[in-house]
Amino acid sequence: MTTAQLTSLFPNDVLARCERLRINPLRRRTNHSRGEHHAGKGGASTEFADYRDYSPGDDVRYVDWNIFARTGDPFLKLYKHEEEMHVVLLVDGSQSMQFEGKFDLARQLAAAFGVMGLLNVERVSGYATKSGMGAIAMLPSCRGRVSLRKMLAFFEGLEGGGAFTVDDMIEQALKRHSGKGVCVIVSDFLTTGDLTRPFNRLHSAGLEIYALQILGPTEMDPELTGDLRFVDSETGQTLDVSSVGELLGLYHEHRRGLADHIATLCRQRQGRFLSLSSADDIQTVLFDQLLRRGWVR
Amino acid sequence: MNWLPGITTPAAAWLFALLVPLVVFYFLKLKRTRVEIPSLALWLSVIEDQRVNSPFQKFKRNLLLLLQVAVLCLLALAAMQPFVRGRSQRAEHLPILIDCSASMAATDDQGRSRLDLVKQQVREIITNLLSGQRLTLVAVSDSAQRLTEFTDNQRVLLDALNRIRVREVEGNLEEGLQLAQALARSFQIDAVRFYSDGNLPLRPDETGRQVAGVNFDLPFELQFHRIDPGGANIGITAFTARRSGPERWDVFVRVEGSDAGQTAAGVELLAGGVPVGDDTIILEAGQSQRIVFTYDSADAASLEVRLRPDGPDSLAADNVAWLDLPVSRPLSVYCPLELAAYRHSLSGLGGIELLPTGGRDPQRALYDLVIADDLAQADQEAQTFLFIGVVPADLSSLISIGTGLAQVVDWKRDDPLLQHVMFQDVEITDQPTLAEGVDEGDIESLGYEILVQGNTGPLVLRRREGRIASVYLLFHTDRSTLPYRVGFPVLVSNVVGLARDQAELSDVRGIATGVLPELQVPSKAAVDVRTPSGQSLSVLPDAEGTLKGIAAHEVGQYDIRQEGQTIRRVGAGLLSATETSLWGVEEIQFRELTVGASDQPVSTDKPLWSYLAYAAFVFLLVEWWVFLRRPGGEAA
């Protein structure tokens, strides 16, 4: 007897393992709303944090009467405050992602992060580009296990295409979003635009950047030679290149340079960056690479 | 020397015109493959970076075109057949004379023969043959043999070169030069190239210095290229026997060493394959030594002498020689009773059967010596004739015998026939006189050799016709004071000695290679001659059953067979002091000029087309590699 799959994005066992993981941000970026994350300041949770002198006007319910009985001085018991964290999932669905399973892996990763967020009572919202100029698909902010099907259906139903760049996508998402937390960006980051500004805006919006670059195997290690005419899948623009084989060394330098550049942008904003191949298995990425790097725990 | 390379076929330069369609077709046919990629972002930055940093971007962009242009240029240049000019003058028709006499088989320390070294040099010339050049190869030994026509076909020339083998005979350069001279009548020949070790017969010049003299007027330039002589050598240069008693022979073996160093060998004498004498000999450089063996036999015997070199020996052909001893018998001499003076002198010599005796003489079909004063006696069968007071029939119109006192002007004192015979003050009343307008040259042109010259004409003549030697005294000794001179019995003794030599009764010499001596065979049927190497020659004897002119180019024993039966076995040895010495001359003296030897290999024109073709092939491979190679760069 086979169990029905909850989602077509990944099997149930992967889903089950994802449910046991939680996102591990470098900084506490939480909202004032009550949540599962301990805030730096005192709160009303059951977990003891510290003592302080009583000040007039404090709630007398928090006075530690045992200490008052021994010393005669009122001390106030402080408890940790638990706040919610917002998980923003950005999926690049442009035409450049429609190669070699890049978009599929992007949807899987975004859904996995969404599962982690919802199952840990975070607030999750999603944004993805789709075909058509200026169009962007949106998953409204949701929370809890009850939103799991909704979130999975959103990423299952995504259709890629179009020439939406990743920086435009970030701009569009920030117009609709508010709240601190983590912003997971899944894209190939193959854009001629400058990512500095959108990354600055993400940082200033209180979002820790989780940048995941997905490249196809032929982008990682192209096997090309001779005189070729390259055609851009998004714009249709062409580029004649002679003796491509001669330039592959330079290509690899530039590919690594792009990855280093994005990683630097992320690091400068207390973010994280990881470059993946679309040939990588989702389980390997989630339970090996991300776990070992401390992205999740 | 002009360092600029020459061009043999400049007309092939039109091939460079193919560059135009090559370039046109390259750009017309250049069709780029369309490859759709996710984004141009990376490639745009790559191209931008390449434009900034790569000064050879245009070169790289059209690398295939440049390689194709290079291939075409190299092929066009190869078709033009450029060549590097050599030091030697270029000749269109060049005869190459290759010495293949016995000394060319001499080996050096590395075991290479002289002929092998010559072949190596000539092979290089053939391989580098330029268009328009034609060679002919001539093998020179005791005779000259043209191996190819004038040709530029390298296969034919190389085949002919590979066929050249050493002939174990003495060399004779004159034969080769005469052949080249004959070729010069049909072709424009400016130079003849001669490859040899310089082992040529020596003779003293005016100053007494030993030089290699060739009696020849050079109508062309002779380029003499000398190969270094071989290493140390020891060999037999003479093998003779002299009768020292009725049943005893003294056998003489002369052994010589080359100049290369001290040599030593054991000398073994065999009779019918059975050892009869043995000795050891050690020679300093260039020395020779004679060894005497005594051999007792009244019967015919075949002697063989062998050298066992003790140390390096460059030449093997001179380590063996053969000699056939005849049966011991008295010399049969016919001398009429009227010639009393001669009979008196003959009676004092031993080992002679003098006929007629005046009684009942046995009928003889063959005499060894006939002495007569009548030309009718010439009909007798003999190997040696002495005619007294007789003018040969073919000279009767040139010489008349007059009356008067003839005076001896000169005579050949060193001739064996006249040794110790003094004609000075001999009174001769017969006066042989040359006819009007006739000189000594006319006599010699008929095959006569003048031994004694008188004031009006020759007095004594000698003529050899095949195996027959005839001596003519044109005056009758009875009408001269010669019989009263001490020299007369000496003259008779010398004639007897000549007859003994002719009959091979006293001195026997080993047979040298070249041409076998005339041989008598029982019948006139075809004779099969088997050479030492196993080759078979068919020879027909002449009307008298004599075999003549059998070439013997190999050292060894020749089987003479007739009707399936071996009738005789003749051994021929090298027996040449010149060849054994391995001496190489520095120059060759011709009648009017002297040609020096060059030890340096010939610097000929070297064609470059093959190198260019190889380079074009390499460029083609590079182009193919560039076209098909797997992408470079590093994997992530």
Side-chain angles (χ1 to χ4, degrees), chain B residues 96-107:
Chain B
I96 295 182
L97 310 184
I98 299 174
D99 184 2
C100 55
S101 62
S103 62
M104 294 295 283
T107 54

Side-chain angles (χ1 to χ4, degrees), chain B residues 7 9 12-13 15-16 70-82 608-609 612-613:
Chain B
I7 300 290
T9 316
L15 285 171
F16 282 108
V71 170
L72 181 61
C73 288
L74 287 168
L75 290 177
L77 278 173
M80 291 171 70
Q81 299 193 30
L608 299 173
W609 71 266
L612 293 169

Side-chain angles (χ1 to χ4, degrees), chain B residues 407-465:
Chain B
Q407 292 180 346
V408 176
V409 176
D410 196 11
W411 68 94
K412 289 191 172 178
R413 292 170 170 82
D414 56 347
D415 192 278
L417 196 65
L418 301 182
Q419 273 186 347
H420 311 299
V421 180
M422 302 295 289
F423 282 91
Q424 200 172 10
D425 301 330
V426 173
E427 300 291 335
I428 301 170
T429 56
D430 287 344
Q431 193 172 29
T433 306
L434 289 174
E436 191 73 25
V438 177
D439 59 12
E440 287 77 9
D442 298 327
I443 307 294
E444 290 172 349
S445 66
L446 291 172
Y448 292 91
E449 182 184 5
I450 300 173
L451 297 179
V452 180
Q453 178 69 40
N455 57 339
T456 57
L459 294 174
V460 180
L461 300 175
R462 180 171 56 198
R463 187 184 193 190
R464 287 188 181 275
E465 290 176 288

Side-chain angles (χ1 to χ4, degrees), chain B residues 133-192:
Chain B
Q133 271 193 317
R134 286 173 173 75
L135 301 182
T136 183
L137 300 182
V138 178
V140 180
S141 54
D142 57 340
S143 60
Q145 182 186 5
R146 192 179 176 197
L147 303 175
T148 64
E149 299 292 322
F150 274 111
T151 179
D152 56 358
N153 188 323
Q154 295 190 5
R155 186 181 56 79
V156 171
L157 291 166
L158 289 174
D159 283 350
L161 183 69
N162 292 332
R163 282 201 311 273
I164 296 179
R165 297 282 180 273
V166 169
R167 287 184 170 183
E168 290 162 343
V169 294
E170 279 195 335
N172 186 356
L173 172 60
E174 202 171 324
E175 291 280 335
L177 294 175
Q178 284 173 353
L179 181 59
Q181 190 181 34
L183 292 173
R185 297 192 187 102
S186 306
F187 302 96
Q188 174 69 34
I189 293 176
D190 301 321
V192 171

Side-chain angles (χ1 to χ4, degrees), chain A:
Chain A
M1 183 176 175
T2 56
T3 308
Q5 294 293 321
L6 192 63
T7 175
S8 60
L9 293 170
F10 32 66
N12 286 350
D13 60 328
V14 176
L15 182 63
R17 291 187 69 181
C18 285
E19 288 175 0
R20 292 194 292 273
L21 295 176
R22 63 186 304 170
I23 299 168
N24 185 31
L26 293 171
R27 301 265 177 165
R28 275 193 201 112
R29 294 177 189 274
T30 52
N31 300 305
H32 296 298
S33 308
R34 185 173 173 75
E36 293 287 313
H37 292 271
H38 294 136
K41 53 189 178 294
S45 69
T46 55
E47 194 171 346
F48 173 77
D50 202 354
Y51 291 99
R52 72 169 171 81
D53 292 338
Y54 175 79
S55 297
D58 285 339
D59 191 344
V60 294
R61 290 180 298 171
Y62 294 106
V63 173
D64 190 334
W65 298 110
N66 291 328
I67 296 174
F68 179 75
R70 287 199 299 272
T71 62
D73 294 325
F75 286 95
L76 212 61
K77 285 175 75 175
L78 299 179
Y79 296 90
K80 287 188 176 176
H81 183 74
E82 290 183 337
E83 294 178 347
E84 68 171 7
M85 186 178 70
H86 209 119
V87 178
V88 183
L89 304 171
L90 298 184
V91 177
D92 182 1
S94 65
Q95 187 62 35
S96 67
M97 290 290 285
Q98 309 304 314
F99 282 81
E100 301 176 308
K102 289 158 65 175
F103 187 58
D104 293 338
L105 182 62
R107 288 191 304 164
Q108 288 175 324
L109 283 171
F113 277 103
V115 169
M116 291 177 217
L118 289 178
L119 270 293
N120 289 286
V121 204
E122 316 289 7
R123 187 164 292 279
V124 175
S125 59
Y127 303 90
T129 60
K130 62 181 182 180
S131 58
M133 287 300 292
I136 185 167
M138 178 181 168
L139 170 68
S141 175
C142 54
R143 187 176 177 188
R145 182 181 282 273
V146 292
S147 303
L148 186 62
R149 281 189 176 277
K150 180 182 170 188
M151 186 271 297
L152 291 173
F154 172 76
F155 286 112
E156 281 174 354
L158 281 181
E159 289 181 2
F164 223 90
T165 60
V166 65
D167 40 335
D168 286 340
M169 180 182 71
I170 295 171
E171 294 286 344
Q172 291 290 328
L174 286 177
K175 284 178 185 173
R176 293 167 173 79
H177 173 78
S178 64
K180 297 177 182 177
V182 172
C183 178
V184 181
I185 309 169
V186 192
S187 170
D188 54 10
F189 292 102
L190 296 177
T191 176
T192 52
D194 186 12
L195 290 170
T196 308
R197 184 172 178 276
F199 275 30
N200 282 342
R201 289 201 59 194
L202 285 173
H203 184 61
S204 59
L207 292 171
E208 183 175 322
I209 301 169
Y210 273 32
L212 286 163
Q213 185 188 36
I214 300 177
L215 296 176
T218 58
E219 290 172 306
M220 302 284 276
D221 189 15
E223 295 188 352
L224 299 170
T225 186
D227 300 335
L228 300 176
R229 172 165 292 171
F230 290 131
V231 182
D232 192 308
S233 63
E234 292 180 359
T235 63
Q237 186 185 352
T238 60
L239 177 68
D240 290 344
V241 182
S242 298
S243 303
V244 174
E246 294 279 339
L247 300 175
L248 288 180
L250 203 56
Y251 173 87
H252 286 297
E253 285 180 20
H254 278 260
R255 183 178 57 75
R256 283 196 299 268
L258 174 65
D260 292 343
H261 173 65
I262 300 171
T264 304
L265 288 178
C266 293
R267 195 167 53 249
Q268 288 171 344
R269 291 155 185 81
Q270 286 83 44
R272 286 167 157 159
F273 173 78
L274 179 62
S275 183
L276 301 170
S277 168
S278 62
D280 293 341
D281 181 53
I282 180 68
Q283 298 190 50
T284 308
V285 175
L286 285 172
F287 309 128
D288 182 28
Q289 298 192 54
L290 295 182
L291 202 59
R292 279 195 292 110
R293 282 175 170 78
W295 288 41
V296 295
R297 58 185 166 89

